[in-house]
Amino acid sequence: MIASNQPSVIKVRVKRQDGPGQAAYWQHFDIPYEENLNIISVLQKIAAKPITRDGQRVAPIAWDCGCLEEVCGSCTMLINGRVRQSCSALIDRLLEDSPSGEVVLEPMSKFPVVRDLVVDRARIFQALKKVKAWVEVDGYFDMGPGPKQSRTQQEAAYPLSECMSCGCCLEACPQYAKVEVIREAGESEEAYRQRVEAANSVAFIGPHAINQAVLFNSNPTGQFKKAERLEALTEPGGIQVCGNAQNCVAVCPKHIPLTTSIAQAGRAVTVHAVKKFFE
Amino acid sequence: MAKQRVVVVGGGLSGLSMTMKLCELGIPVDLVSLVPVKRSHSVCAQGGINSCNDATRQLGDSEWKHFDDTVYGGDFLNHQPPVKEMCEWAPKVIDLMDRLGVTFNRTGEGFLDRRRFGGTLYKRTAFAGATTGQQLLYALDEQVRRWEAEGLVRKFEHYDFTSPIVDDNGACRGVVIQNLHSMEFLALPADAVVVASGGPGLVYGRSTMSVMCNGSAASRCFRAGAKYGNAEFIQVHPTAIPGADKLRLMSESARGEGGRVWVPRRSQDTRDPKLIPESERYYFLEERYPAYMNLVPRDIATREIFDICVNEGLSVDADKMCVYLDLTHIPKAELDRKLGGILDIYQKFQGVDPREVPMKIFPAVHYSMGGLWTDYERSSSGGLVVGSPRNHETNIPNLYAIGECDYHYHGANRLGANSLLSCIFTGLMVGPGIENKLKQSKTAAADLPPAVFQQAVAAAKEQHQAVLQRPSSDQNPYQIHQELGDLMTRAATVVRRNDQLKAAIATVEELEQRANVATVVDTGSWTNQNVIFTKALMDMFPLAKAILWGALQRDECRGAHFKPDFSMPSLTSDTREGRLQEAEQWCDRFQANTDKWLKSTIATLVDGQPKLSYEDIDTSSIPPRPRLYGLVGAEEIETVWKRRAAAKSAQVDPMAARAAAAPAVASL
């Protein structure tokens, strides 16, 4: 419940950045305390009245959010140093755990900053393309139901398919390094995107994508393309980059068994390689 | 001729199913979305998706009964041909989603498990835990990614749709979009444009909808001349978790799995709910609706919860209105398997485990039954002519609308688990119609003179600059939005009164004028969320006004639109004879009301003001009948109504009349 020593204001420190490649700086805001606020409500209050603790009127803070109930993955950021969704980060809970009584907001460090707390996470979706995270059906005509599946199969697959591509596992992963490509003056959006994709394509795909490969390799129809996904996992930036730090599973807001998936994928890749050797 | 292309605006269930279907037909798509499509609002759908299935079929269910439940639940305001077509497709839609790898819950034998939802007595609803919308969205997102990898889809994520491009002949030839990071404008030529942008929840400030559900895309089509239908029909979901930033949905599936709604019989009983004995609990839905119990249609459950708190003063808490939604009698393992997702949400945001303690819930704005008006072509069997280019085309040629932002499927009230169906169905079904539309044309929009597109971009830029360069005022867009939301929630949700609606219209006009001069604090040209929000706010007013005017003029009660001054009374006589007599008058009044009001409200925007007209509804398959869930005297009204219906059809077909006059099977 609410601590009895409620503060009169919530002290918020925000790491800001005006645009890609620019220097970051800090600003402080004091928000009148109310019960049951989350980080989103605090940012909304700052947006409505963007005045710093020193009374300076500043541009509103930019941030991403969507569903506000932790299923869309939009609002991921670093809150008091920990990567998580800002919608489910409740101020009362944060204050209990923060001796300084301060709330510190920073953009994720593994993705290029677009502005303030907004980062570019296109690389996450690019990795899903690389591992062919889909079921290759013939088409969308009516062909009757899919293959029967046991309850056990469903209960194994469902948690893996809850991944909302939020990026927490990537922020926490020591092997996942930031890839930033700065847009050149006069460069078209399309040309810039192509350079970004080329740079991303050889960098680590990350735990989330390995987990998706495992999910689709376990699907009765998805497994027909198992070999292609395993090949993708062995390319540059593939599963071999994983250093087994196990940070990913600890920060996943959906408690997806990422390390189990990585272990499974690791074994499957080895078996696949041995088989290929004897082919 | 250049290759013809289609632009799809919105990447939720309907936009994605449309995109993948078009790709299958070989038509390239430009997909425009405010957010990465995987983060679209469809992720928030929880409970499931409906279809008649092998098990219910053997209990007497059929596609026809699904159709009947849908139009009866929608109080007959639904257009019947599209609904009939949808219900016939429903089992096939679920089969397809199963093939695409959706992790539907399974029975012990490995079939898809089903649960019961509101407004039906059959277990029609397939589900994936309590995150069914998320799982369906992901399956479609994956298919679209596959087509993207093959080069048929270009995604424009983090882009705002600012207007359709309408040529001198009034036809749509593309769209103008704005990059939310670089703020640059871009024109996309298109031979058809499909708006699949979802609902306008932000018009109500806080709702169960996501922050991007601001209605701006639909409103910008409305401004461009598209007609808007049934705006006043806004669904208020009975069970949501109140919050400062959002009213989070608590799925109907909680009741589908056995959840019970109650309040202590004694006002503001402060005891621990678990210690309140059964005899002192008021299970008001179960007592008032013995057939449907906790699973009455949403409009009814919402009004009852509202009534219990507002009129009877039985809210659980004194300072905020709420009732208990109780799952604590269900084994935890079962709860985790079927409802884990939503219970986690409750626990995360409320800090209380709903497996142990009854949840506190209250109604919240949830869904828009109304939306952009679109056409359809009726088949001889009363469904749709699949492949007709007319299906889902707005009154602006080449501009289509599907999903929550269309208007015909859900009538005056949507049944739970029918929206995921209508969204995926419209995407799949309309694809071939668009293919035929493109075939009819001998040209491609990309071959039009570049000036057409340059002018559209120039106009959008000019409008944007005008907002940025406004002189400083003391009007704050966020403050105005809050006031708009509070006003709309008070005037146009559960209970509607003409005096309040009139006052609200006047206030909305003032708010709009303030929004038109509100200062944009951030005048920069990089990721300027401030100006994007201000522009979206300005576009909330046409929709807010259409909702208010539609509600004001509709002097009746129908589904979610409830005006106590025009409600149909319950029968009061103590004797059956007396009630039968009252039922005669009741049926006269019902018939008169049907003749007058069983019409779609159609709004067109003229000089920023909605002008309303009324459109007849195709009720050719299922004649309208009184909606009698739990009404006192329902049996007598039904008797009288059936006799009259039989007499009426006797004039047409004597055999059918004899069959209809036979003793009715025990009614619900």
Side-chain angles (χ1 to χ4, degrees), chain B residues 262-281 283 316-317 324-326 328 352-360:
Chain B
W262 62 278
V263 288
R265 289 196 185 266
R266 202 174 73 216
S267 177
Q268 274 107 53
D269 193 327
T270 51
R271 281 177 290 174
D272 174 351
K274 300 268 277 184
L275 298 177
I276 299 178
E278 283 288 307
S279 62
E280 293 174 41
R281 297 177 176 196
Y283 293 97
V316 169
D317 285 346
Y324 287 129
L325 171 54
D326 196 343
T328 57
V352 175
D353 184 357
R355 300 161 190 86
E356 301 282 354
V357 182
M359 294 181 276
K360 291 180 185 175

Short mmCIF file of all heavy atoms in Angstrom, two decimals, chain B residues 262-281 283 316-317 324-326 328 352-360:
data_model
loop_
_atom_site.label_atom_id
_atom_site.label_comp_id
_atom_site.label_asym_id
_atom_site.label_seq_id
_atom_site.Cartn_x
_atom_site.Cartn_y
_atom_site.Cartn_z
N TRP B 262 -21.13 -9.00 -8.48
CA TRP B 262 -22.00 -8.78 -7.31
C TRP B 262 -21.60 -7.53 -6.56
O TRP B 262 -20.52 -6.97 -6.76
CB TRP B 262 -22.00 -10.00 -6.38
CG TRP B 262 -20.69 -10.38 -5.75
CD1 TRP B 262 -19.69 -11.12 -6.31
CD2 TRP B 262 -20.24 -10.06 -4.41
NE1 TRP B 262 -18.64 -11.29 -5.43
CE2 TRP B 262 -18.97 -10.66 -4.25
CE3 TRP B 262 -20.79 -9.35 -3.35
CZ2 TRP B 262 -18.23 -10.55 -3.06
CZ3 TRP B 262 -20.06 -9.26 -2.15
CH2 TRP B 262 -18.78 -9.84 -2.03
N VAL B 263 -22.49 -7.11 -5.68
CA VAL B 263 -22.20 -6.05 -4.70
C VAL B 263 -22.74 -6.52 -3.36
O VAL B 263 -23.66 -7.33 -3.32
CB VAL B 263 -22.87 -4.70 -5.08
CG1 VAL B 263 -22.19 -4.05 -6.27
CG2 VAL B 263 -24.35 -4.87 -5.34
N PRO B 264 -22.20 -6.01 -2.26
CA PRO B 264 -22.82 -6.32 -0.96
C PRO B 264 -24.22 -5.72 -0.92
O PRO B 264 -24.44 -4.64 -1.44
CB PRO B 264 -21.90 -5.61 0.05
CG PRO B 264 -20.64 -5.33 -0.69
CD PRO B 264 -21.02 -5.15 -2.13
N ARG B 265 -25.15 -6.45 -0.31
CA ARG B 265 -26.52 -5.95 -0.25
C ARG B 265 -26.60 -4.68 0.60
O ARG B 265 -27.46 -3.84 0.40
CB ARG B 265 -27.47 -7.01 0.31
CG ARG B 265 -27.68 -8.15 -0.69
CD ARG B 265 -28.88 -9.01 -0.32
NE ARG B 265 -28.98 -10.15 -1.24
CZ ARG B 265 -29.73 -10.15 -2.35
NH1 ARG B 265 -30.43 -9.09 -2.68
NH2 ARG B 265 -29.76 -11.21 -3.12
N ARG B 266 -25.69 -4.59 1.57
CA ARG B 266 -25.67 -3.40 2.42
C ARG B 266 -24.73 -2.37 1.79
O ARG B 266 -23.59 -2.69 1.41
CB ARG B 266 -25.17 -3.77 3.82
CG ARG B 266 -25.59 -2.78 4.88
CD ARG B 266 -25.19 -3.27 6.26
NE ARG B 266 -23.75 -3.15 6.46
CZ ARG B 266 -23.02 -4.02 7.14
NH1 ARG B 266 -23.55 -5.10 7.67
NH2 ARG B 266 -21.71 -3.82 7.27
N SER B 267 -25.22 -1.16 1.67
CA SER B 267 -24.45 -0.11 1.00
C SER B 267 -23.08 0.09 1.66
O SER B 267 -22.98 0.23 2.89
CB SER B 267 -25.28 1.18 1.07
OG SER B 267 -24.58 2.22 0.52
N GLN B 268 -22.03 0.11 0.83
CA GLN B 268 -20.65 0.32 1.28
C GLN B 268 -20.25 -0.51 2.50
O GLN B 268 -19.74 -0.01 3.49
CB GLN B 268 -20.39 1.81 1.54
CG GLN B 268 -19.98 2.53 0.27
CD GLN B 268 -21.08 3.43 -0.25
OE1 GLN B 268 -21.59 4.25 0.49
NE2 GLN B 268 -21.45 3.27 -1.50
N ASP B 269 -20.55 -1.76 2.39
CA ASP B 269 -20.14 -2.74 3.39
C ASP B 269 -18.61 -2.78 3.41
O ASP B 269 -17.99 -3.05 2.39
CB ASP B 269 -20.71 -4.10 2.95
CG ASP B 269 -20.65 -5.13 4.04
OD1 ASP B 269 -19.69 -5.06 4.84
OD2 ASP B 269 -21.55 -5.98 4.10
N THR B 270 -18.01 -2.51 4.54
CA THR B 270 -16.55 -2.39 4.56
C THR B 270 -15.86 -3.73 4.85
O THR B 270 -14.63 -3.78 4.93
CB THR B 270 -16.11 -1.37 5.63
OG1 THR B 270 -16.75 -1.72 6.85
CG2 THR B 270 -16.47 0.04 5.22
N ARG B 271 -16.65 -4.79 5.02
CA ARG B 271 -16.01 -6.07 5.33
C ARG B 271 -15.17 -6.57 4.14
O ARG B 271 -15.42 -6.22 3.00
CB ARG B 271 -17.08 -7.12 5.63
CG ARG B 271 -17.65 -7.02 7.03
CD ARG B 271 -18.76 -8.05 7.23
NE ARG B 271 -19.95 -7.73 6.44
CZ ARG B 271 -21.01 -8.53 6.35
NH1 ARG B 271 -21.03 -9.70 6.97
NH2 ARG B 271 -22.06 -8.17 5.63
N ASP B 272 -14.18 -7.39 4.46
CA ASP B 272 -13.43 -8.12 3.44
C ASP B 272 -14.45 -8.89 2.59
O ASP B 272 -15.26 -9.64 3.15
CB ASP B 272 -12.46 -9.06 4.17
CG ASP B 272 -11.72 -10.00 3.24
OD1 ASP B 272 -12.07 -10.05 2.03
OD2 ASP B 272 -10.80 -10.68 3.72
N PRO B 273 -14.43 -8.75 1.25
CA PRO B 273 -15.48 -9.38 0.44
C PRO B 273 -15.59 -10.88 0.66
O PRO B 273 -16.67 -11.44 0.57
CB PRO B 273 -15.06 -9.05 -1.01
CG PRO B 273 -13.67 -8.53 -0.92
CD PRO B 273 -13.50 -7.96 0.44
N LYS B 274 -14.45 -11.52 0.94
CA LYS B 274 -14.48 -12.97 1.13
C LYS B 274 -15.26 -13.35 2.39
O LYS B 274 -15.68 -14.49 2.55
CB LYS B 274 -13.06 -13.53 1.23
CG LYS B 274 -12.21 -13.26 0.00
CD LYS B 274 -12.27 -14.36 -1.02
CE LYS B 274 -11.32 -15.51 -0.69
NZ LYS B 274 -11.34 -16.52 -1.75
N LEU B 275 -15.42 -12.40 3.31
CA LEU B 275 -16.11 -12.69 4.56
C LEU B 275 -17.60 -12.36 4.49
O LEU B 275 -18.33 -12.58 5.45
CB LEU B 275 -15.46 -11.89 5.71
CG LEU B 275 -13.99 -12.23 5.98
CD1 LEU B 275 -13.42 -11.36 7.08
CD2 LEU B 275 -13.85 -13.71 6.32
N ILE B 276 -18.02 -11.80 3.36
CA ILE B 276 -19.45 -11.48 3.24
C ILE B 276 -20.18 -12.75 2.80
O ILE B 276 -19.87 -13.32 1.75
CB ILE B 276 -19.66 -10.34 2.21
CG1 ILE B 276 -18.94 -9.09 2.70
CG2 ILE B 276 -21.16 -10.07 2.00
CD1 ILE B 276 -19.03 -7.90 1.77
N PRO B 277 -21.12 -13.24 3.60
CA PRO B 277 -21.78 -14.51 3.25
C PRO B 277 -22.65 -14.36 2.01
O PRO B 277 -23.09 -13.26 1.67
CB PRO B 277 -22.63 -14.83 4.49
CG PRO B 277 -22.75 -13.55 5.24
CD PRO B 277 -21.59 -12.69 4.88
N GLU B 278 -22.89 -15.50 1.37
CA GLU B 278 -23.67 -15.52 0.12
C GLU B 278 -24.98 -14.76 0.26
O GLU B 278 -25.39 -14.03 -0.63
CB GLU B 278 -23.99 -16.97 -0.28
CG GLU B 278 -22.81 -17.71 -0.90
CD GLU B 278 -22.49 -17.23 -2.32
OE1 GLU B 278 -23.41 -17.21 -3.15
OE2 GLU B 278 -21.33 -16.87 -2.57
N SER B 279 -25.65 -14.94 1.40
CA SER B 279 -26.99 -14.36 1.57
C SER B 279 -26.93 -12.84 1.61
O SER B 279 -27.94 -12.18 1.41
CB SER B 279 -27.61 -14.89 2.85
OG SER B 279 -26.80 -14.48 3.94
N GLU B 280 -25.75 -12.28 1.85
CA GLU B 280 -25.65 -10.82 1.91
C GLU B 280 -25.00 -10.24 0.66
O GLU B 280 -24.57 -9.10 0.63
CB GLU B 280 -24.88 -10.41 3.17
CG GLU B 280 -25.65 -10.75 4.43
CD GLU B 280 -24.85 -10.49 5.70
OE1 GLU B 280 -24.15 -9.47 5.76
OE2 GLU B 280 -24.92 -11.34 6.61
N ARG B 281 -24.89 -11.08 -0.37
CA ARG B 281 -24.35 -10.60 -1.65
C ARG B 281 -25.50 -10.48 -2.64
O ARG B 281 -26.39 -11.33 -2.66
CB ARG B 281 -23.35 -11.61 -2.21
CG ARG B 281 -22.15 -11.81 -1.33
CD ARG B 281 -21.27 -12.89 -1.94
NE ARG B 281 -20.05 -13.06 -1.18
CZ ARG B 281 -18.97 -13.69 -1.64
NH1 ARG B 281 -19.00 -14.23 -2.85
NH2 ARG B 281 -17.89 -13.80 -0.92
N TYR B 283 -26.14 -10.76 -6.35
CA TYR B 283 -25.69 -11.11 -7.70
C TYR B 283 -26.73 -10.56 -8.66
O TYR B 283 -27.59 -11.30 -9.18
CB TYR B 283 -25.56 -12.62 -7.83
CG TYR B 283 -24.45 -13.21 -6.98
CD1 TYR B 283 -24.70 -13.77 -5.74
CD2 TYR B 283 -23.13 -13.20 -7.44
CE1 TYR B 283 -23.69 -14.30 -4.96
CE2 TYR B 283 -22.10 -13.74 -6.68
CZ TYR B 283 -22.38 -14.28 -5.44
OH TYR B 283 -21.37 -14.81 -4.67
N VAL B 316 -19.37 -0.57 -4.39
CA VAL B 316 -18.54 -1.19 -3.36
C VAL B 316 -17.79 -0.13 -2.57
O VAL B 316 -17.77 -0.14 -1.34
CB VAL B 316 -17.55 -2.19 -4.01
CG1 VAL B 316 -16.51 -2.63 -3.01
CG2 VAL B 316 -18.31 -3.38 -4.58
N ASP B 317 -17.19 0.82 -3.27
CA ASP B 317 -16.46 1.91 -2.60
C ASP B 317 -17.33 3.15 -2.54
O ASP B 317 -18.14 3.39 -3.44
CB ASP B 317 -15.17 2.24 -3.36
CG ASP B 317 -14.11 1.18 -3.13
OD1 ASP B 317 -14.28 0.37 -2.21
OD2 ASP B 317 -13.13 1.16 -3.90
N TYR B 324 -17.99 -5.71 -7.69
CA TYR B 324 -17.07 -6.85 -7.69
C TYR B 324 -17.27 -7.72 -8.92
O TYR B 324 -18.41 -7.98 -9.33
CB TYR B 324 -17.30 -7.73 -6.46
CG TYR B 324 -16.80 -7.13 -5.17
CD1 TYR B 324 -17.63 -7.05 -4.06
CD2 TYR B 324 -15.49 -6.67 -5.05
CE1 TYR B 324 -17.18 -6.51 -2.86
CE2 TYR B 324 -15.02 -6.13 -3.86
CZ TYR B 324 -15.87 -6.05 -2.76
OH TYR B 324 -15.42 -5.52 -1.59
N LEU B 325 -16.15 -8.16 -9.48
CA LEU B 325 -16.15 -9.23 -10.48
C LEU B 325 -15.31 -10.33 -9.85
O LEU B 325 -14.11 -10.17 -9.62
CB LEU B 325 -15.54 -8.73 -11.80
CG LEU B 325 -15.28 -9.80 -12.88
CD1 LEU B 325 -16.52 -10.61 -13.20
CD2 LEU B 325 -14.74 -9.16 -14.15
N ASP B 326 -15.97 -11.43 -9.55
CA ASP B 326 -15.40 -12.42 -8.64
C ASP B 326 -15.04 -13.71 -9.37
O ASP B 326 -15.89 -14.35 -10.00
CB ASP B 326 -16.46 -12.70 -7.56
CG ASP B 326 -15.89 -13.40 -6.36
OD1 ASP B 326 -14.78 -13.96 -6.47
OD2 ASP B 326 -16.56 -13.39 -5.31
N THR B 328 -12.87 -15.88 -7.59
CA THR B 328 -12.12 -16.60 -6.54
C THR B 328 -12.64 -18.02 -6.30
O THR B 328 -11.97 -18.80 -5.62
CB THR B 328 -12.16 -15.81 -5.22
OG1 THR B 328 -13.53 -15.59 -4.85
CG2 THR B 328 -11.48 -14.46 -5.36
N VAL B 352 -3.23 -6.28 -6.53
CA VAL B 352 -4.05 -7.25 -5.81
C VAL B 352 -4.21 -8.48 -6.70
O VAL B 352 -4.40 -8.34 -7.91
CB VAL B 352 -5.45 -6.65 -5.51
CG1 VAL B 352 -6.35 -7.68 -4.86
CG2 VAL B 352 -5.32 -5.41 -4.63
N ASP B 353 -4.12 -9.68 -6.13
CA ASP B 353 -4.25 -10.89 -6.93
C ASP B 353 -5.73 -11.26 -7.09
O ASP B 353 -6.38 -11.66 -6.12
CB ASP B 353 -3.49 -12.04 -6.25
CG ASP B 353 -3.51 -13.31 -7.09
OD1 ASP B 353 -4.16 -13.31 -8.16
OD2 ASP B 353 -2.88 -14.31 -6.67
N PRO B 354 -6.25 -11.17 -8.33
CA PRO B 354 -7.68 -11.44 -8.53
C PRO B 354 -8.05 -12.91 -8.37
O PRO B 354 -9.22 -13.26 -8.37
CB PRO B 354 -7.92 -10.98 -9.97
CG PRO B 354 -6.60 -11.05 -10.63
CD PRO B 354 -5.57 -10.80 -9.57
N ARG B 355 -7.03 -13.79 -8.23
CA ARG B 355 -7.33 -15.19 -7.95
C ARG B 355 -7.74 -15.34 -6.49
O ARG B 355 -8.39 -16.32 -6.11
CB ARG B 355 -6.10 -16.07 -8.24
CG ARG B 355 -5.63 -16.00 -9.70
CD ARG B 355 -4.17 -16.48 -9.83
NE ARG B 355 -3.61 -16.21 -11.14
CZ ARG B 355 -3.03 -15.04 -11.49
NH1 ARG B 355 -2.95 -14.04 -10.61
NH2 ARG B 355 -2.53 -14.88 -12.69
N GLU B 356 -7.31 -14.36 -5.68
CA GLU B 356 -7.57 -14.42 -4.23
C GLU B 356 -8.66 -13.45 -3.78
O GLU B 356 -9.36 -13.71 -2.82
CB GLU B 356 -6.27 -14.03 -3.47
CG GLU B 356 -5.08 -14.91 -3.75
CD GLU B 356 -5.16 -16.23 -3.00
OE1 GLU B 356 -6.08 -16.38 -2.19
OE2 GLU B 356 -4.29 -17.10 -3.26
N VAL B 357 -8.74 -12.30 -4.45
CA VAL B 357 -9.63 -11.23 -4.01
C VAL B 357 -10.50 -10.79 -5.19
O VAL B 357 -9.98 -10.62 -6.29
CB VAL B 357 -8.79 -10.01 -3.53
CG1 VAL B 357 -9.68 -8.89 -3.02
CG2 VAL B 357 -7.80 -10.44 -2.45
N PRO B 358 -11.80 -10.61 -4.99
CA PRO B 358 -12.64 -10.16 -6.11
C PRO B 358 -12.13 -8.84 -6.68
O PRO B 358 -11.69 -7.96 -5.95
CB PRO B 358 -14.02 -9.98 -5.47
CG PRO B 358 -14.01 -10.84 -4.25
CD PRO B 358 -12.58 -10.85 -3.77
N MET B 359 -12.20 -8.72 -8.02
CA MET B 359 -11.74 -7.49 -8.67
C MET B 359 -12.78 -6.41 -8.51
O MET B 359 -13.97 -6.69 -8.40
CB MET B 359 -11.53 -7.76 -10.17
CG MET B 359 -10.41 -8.72 -10.45
SD MET B 359 -10.18 -8.98 -12.23
CE MET B 359 -11.41 -10.24 -12.57
N LYS B 360 -12.33 -5.16 -8.54
CA LYS B 360 -13.25 -4.03 -8.55
C LYS B 360 -13.26 -3.44 -9.95
O LYS B 360 -12.21 -3.03 -10.47
CB LYS B 360 -12.79 -2.96 -7.55
CG LYS B 360 -12.91 -3.39 -6.10
CD LYS B 360 -12.43 -2.28 -5.19
CE LYS B 360 -12.43 -2.72 -3.74
NZ LYS B 360 -11.85 -1.68 -2.87
#
